[in-house]
Amino acid sequence: MKYIEVILPLPLGNTFTYSVPDEWSKSVQIGMRVIVPFGKKKMYTAIVSLIHSNAPTLYKAKEIIYVLDEKPILRYPQLKFWEWISNYYQAYIGDVYRAAVPSGLKLESETQVRINADYEEETEMSEKEFRILDALSDGKIKNVAELTKDTEITDVMPLVKLLMEKGAVEVSEELTEKYKIKTETYVRLTEEAAYESRLKEIFDELSKAQKQLEMLMKYLDLSKALSKKNTVEVSKKELLEKSGVSTSVLNGLIEKGILESYKKEIGRLDLSVVKTEDPFPLVEFQQKAMNEIYRQFTEKQVVLLHGVTSSGKTEIYIHMIQKTLTEKKQALYLVPEIALTTQLTSRLKLVFGNKLGVYHSKFSDAERVEIWDNLLNGKGYEVIVGVRSSVFLPFRQLGLVIVDEEHETSYKQFDPAPRYHARNAAIVLAQMHGAKTLLGTATPSIESYFNAQTGKYGFVEINTRFKEIELPEILVANTKEAYRKKQMQGHFTPLLMQKINEALTANEQVILFQNRRGYAPYLECKGCAYVPKCKNCDVSLTVHKYLNKLTCHYCGHTESLPGICPVCNTPNLENKGFGTEKIEQEIRDFFPKAKTTRMDFDTTRGKKSLEKIISDFENGRIDILVGTQMVTKGLDFERVSLVGILNADNMLNFPDFRSHERAYQLMAQVSGRAGRKYKRGIVVLQTSNPNHPIIKQVIKNDYFTMFRTQLTERKQFRYPPYFRLIEITLRHRNAKVVDKAARQMASEMVKIFGKRVMGPNIPMIGRIQNFYIKNILLKLENKISPNQAKKYLQSIADTILATEGFKSIRISLDVDPM
């Protein structure tokens, strides 16, 4: 008997063993999808991870229900990569499977069944099978429990399986393939009508059916059928549009046997042939940097490219990708945000044409399945540009992985599990393929720079901007002084207002950066100091004036904007602080003639909305762009001469050991958007503390001093890169239960890890979606084996969850938290 181990898309600690019926014993392979029963009534799509002949000892192996594939949907080394993600980030392998594979390739089950309306009875049926079909004959969808009740058959599932194979029933909703092939209806001449002699007869026959004759002539014109050369397929939609005639006319031609319609599979992706161009030649300093990268690749698997903003790193990437393709290998180009794929795609498409594929979450699930399928079957994609989930795609042979803006926190997956970091995962993936990894940024993460300085990574530096344009001039505006002297106009200092005026007068563009969306962070009553808070989370509600709502950015709860204070019943509510929506409104008031747009999470929800904003700004249809972190991430606009950083203090005063590193990165990155091509740009940095060390380092573009200072502090307080962090989070709806469990878990951890255990502590937001939260932080020296530590942690967590009263607690481990 043949058995298989399968990975289920569930948070389970093990794989499960199933037996393989003889009909599939020769065809089943590792990496294929199989439908399996699990639990009492459910079915799932599982991935085959191992084939063997050993029956399980703890339970009787169930049979698989169906093999979905003719060949595996995974390539080597994808399963090995999943196992690494699972082990390193302490995630169940089922969670990795759920994150890795597009949901369109996963069939899940509430096991609902319906009759197939197109089924024509050709095979013999048993009496029980007839009973099931009779129960479904009303056309309604029924689940297994309902079928069991209606038919009085206790074991319905094997019979449903048989009926599925005969085509008599369909398993619908969650147990239907979510990905369906996209088809379009096309029209052509019937075989008989295609003869020239017969066509002449048809023209005579249609002399009294003028509209049908017009449609036929239009079809012949569109298809070039009469020329017998380069016959073109004509879609039904195009024929109806171009002829201007109704569907009934077309149906008349089909009934007369002149035309016939047929379905054709079409892709959802734009695979139109693109004329390609050679990349721009590299200038001397870029060529020198690329040569040095390749020299270091002979010794190191990973190289860090530290290049100032606008130094032309992207052109270096393009040349390296081109070289990789000449070696018949594939390239993965990771970017932290969808915003970057929008600008990059058009740039890379010019060089790589149809060899370029794009993969991100704004694509529909069907589109993601097509990209997966195209890569799996070698249908042209050799370069993938994508966000963090792109590391899970089925590459044939990676030769190069580029991680652009490697410092970005967007590469870290927070929730749900697996909580992986795409930069680190990409390095491991590249090693599994025997590929090289290039990390590129103007503001490296402390950890990556440390690895480069200590020789773990190669290191290449570029200090020259393209066309030798100077770095922007950074001017500091003291908001404390401006408020004291009552010089502020809204949230703008006189200096920033002056520079905006000058930029607009010169027909140049402006970017204003405020790292908080919404109109105001919160409302407060001047009389009683009441602040509206979320009913599900311990956080104040953010004012969204455009929607006239108060919104929680953690659980999505919304309330109407109150006119009076619900506590003291007075109209004394006022907005506190400011977000991008408030800045956008003020700019419109101060500069009514300027075209102003906002780019944040609220304005870029739609599939094409982000693309439109970037395109409009690129083409000069927007004068002032107000945005959150989205505007800092490597975007390239020619006419931006001014960048305003509206509140540097928010970033500097965040209670986190990375706050100064992130503040430097954000300010340096957004500053780099100014004056990128034709002239030196200006940055106005508003702060109440102009003498803060980070502000001075940003002004001088002094990354190394920031790095050295942060390194000293981190060594002293036991943080990365000298220590590894693992954050344990406990959640429960009862505050006392989670507190007791956290204290017990911390106590057990101290027995093993001693002073390395910090907490338990209440995080900055102690309740989200009605779950109370407690955190425990474990700091491990680099020399300590993280794998052994994780085993201890998992054992302690399992013990806690097995304790009476704690079984409903949620415990999650975040390895290398951000």
Side-chain angles (χ1 to χ4, degrees), residues 2-19:
K2 184 175 279 188
Y3 294 92
I4 56 172
E5 296 297 314
V6 302
I7 301 167
L8 287 156
L10 298 167
L12 302 167
N14 297 309
T15 57
F16 284 80
T17 308
Y18 286 83
S19 63

Side-chain angles (χ1 to χ4, degrees), residues 671-684:
S671 299
R673 304 313 111 208
R676 295 175 63 82
K677 290 226 170 148
Y678 301 115
K679 59 175 280 189
R680 189 183 189 194
I682 293 173
V683 177
V684 176

Side-chain angles (χ1 to χ4, degrees), residues 406-421:
E406 67 82 27
H407 65 280
E408 279 288 350
T409 54
S410 307
Y411 283 124
K412 173 72 173 176
Q413 165 75 13
F414 291 98
D415 273 314
R419 296 171 181 84
Y420 67 100
H421 196 299

